[in-house]
Amino acid sequence: MFPETRHFSAGVVHPNVPNAQNISVLNLLDMTSGLDPTGPMGDAPYNNDDANAQKMIQDTHYNEQNFGKWDYQDLDYILLSHILEKVNAQSHETLFNDIYVYPLKLKHTDFVWADQQKLKEVDFLFNGQNVDMNAIHGLLGAGSVAMSNDDLYKTSLDLLNGKLLSEQNKDIIYAPGNNALHYRGGLYTKNNHYESNGNGYGYCNFLRISKDGKNVVVLQSVDSSHYGDLSNSANKIYTDLFSKTRIKHLYA
């Protein structure tokens, strides 16, 4: 169901992406494209995904010094979402629902622009934040989905246990890559587990999951002002619960 991770050029979205002929899908997954935005990501007011792509590409800058080096940019994953739309001739929202929501029977997952009743059903509130829907549409593929902790775990588990990805594709997508922080496919690869972090709409969320998906810690807070401390807390909780030393002590 997933497109092959072959060397698609970013020019699949539009040939005017700077250095498109040399940027691969893996560069985008690694966030090593050398691309960065010079303006808002998306059009205002929002019209459609295609118009957003055109506006974003106009405002995209290529930094040769950063090509091949890890540089966290939402832009890379927004480009991935538009590549998927072009390759599959379907909207990102349709693809997301067909790949994740329906097969996995996710009951508490939806796009942030869903109506308030639907968001209430998925237990998502904007936590008193004034949210710019134009900006959320502009972040398609990089911050436009609301998901409960249970659904986050189920989705992450099924990505790692072979239900959504073959072992070959899992190894390609979640391999450490060529950057010092070993980031690819939305996950940081550690020695014995993966990590992901999220921050937006007044929430912050931290996932720590073993490579087989069996051990997991999900920490969520409505206090994003202590983001760094909470990330460290998630690390400590995971280590305290699942480190080999801890397990040996439990069974000694």
Side-chain angles (χ1 to χ4, degrees), residues 35-180:
L35 301 175
D36 56 72
T38 62
M41 287 177 286
D43 217 352
Y46 170 76
N47 185 27
N48 57 59
D49 294 347
D50 226 32
N52 266 9
Q54 301 299 327
K55 177 66 168 59
M56 179 184 63
I57 290 165
Q58 289 174 17
D59 295 335
T60 293
H61 169 258
Y62 172 61
N63 184 341
E64 185 176 1
Q65 300 301 315
N66 281 346
F67 183 61
K69 298 178 182 178
W70 184 80
D71 180 31
Y72 193 101
Q73 295 289 346
D74 290 331
L75 173 64
D76 287 340
Y77 279 61
I78 298 167
L79 281 172
L80 283 170
S81 75
H82 289 298
I83 289 173
L84 287 169
E85 289 190 326
K86 291 295 185 182
V87 169
N88 291 280
Q90 290 181 295
S91 71
H92 180 83
E93 188 168 355
T94 296
L95 289 168
F96 184 88
N97 287 331
D98 287 347
I99 292 171
Y100 295 106
V101 176
Y102 303 142
L104 302 184
K105 297 180 173 57
L106 302 180
K107 302 299 185 185
H108 297 92
T109 296
D110 212 323
F111 284 80
V112 181
W113 49 75
D115 63 63
Q116 289 298 308
Q117 180 58 39
K118 181 61 177 175
L119 292 177
K120 186 176 180 180
E121 290 173 7
V122 303
D123 294 330
F124 177 82
L125 299 173
F126 282 119
N127 193 26
Q129 303 292 311
N130 292 319
V131 178
D132 182 351
M133 283 297 172
N134 295 314
I136 291 175
H137 278 286
L139 287 171
L140 184 69
S144 47
V145 172
M147 179 177 283
S148 70
N149 291 340
D150 286 345
D151 280 4
L152 174 61
Y153 171 58
K154 180 173 179 55
T155 303
S156 302
L157 174 64
D158 286 349
L159 281 169
L160 300 176
N161 67 11
K163 288 187 178 179
L164 290 173
L165 288 173
S166 67
E167 282 297 319
Q168 180 183 13
N169 278 340
K170 185 180 80 171
D171 289 344
I172 292 171
I173 293 174
Y174 294 120
N178 62 354
N179 57 75

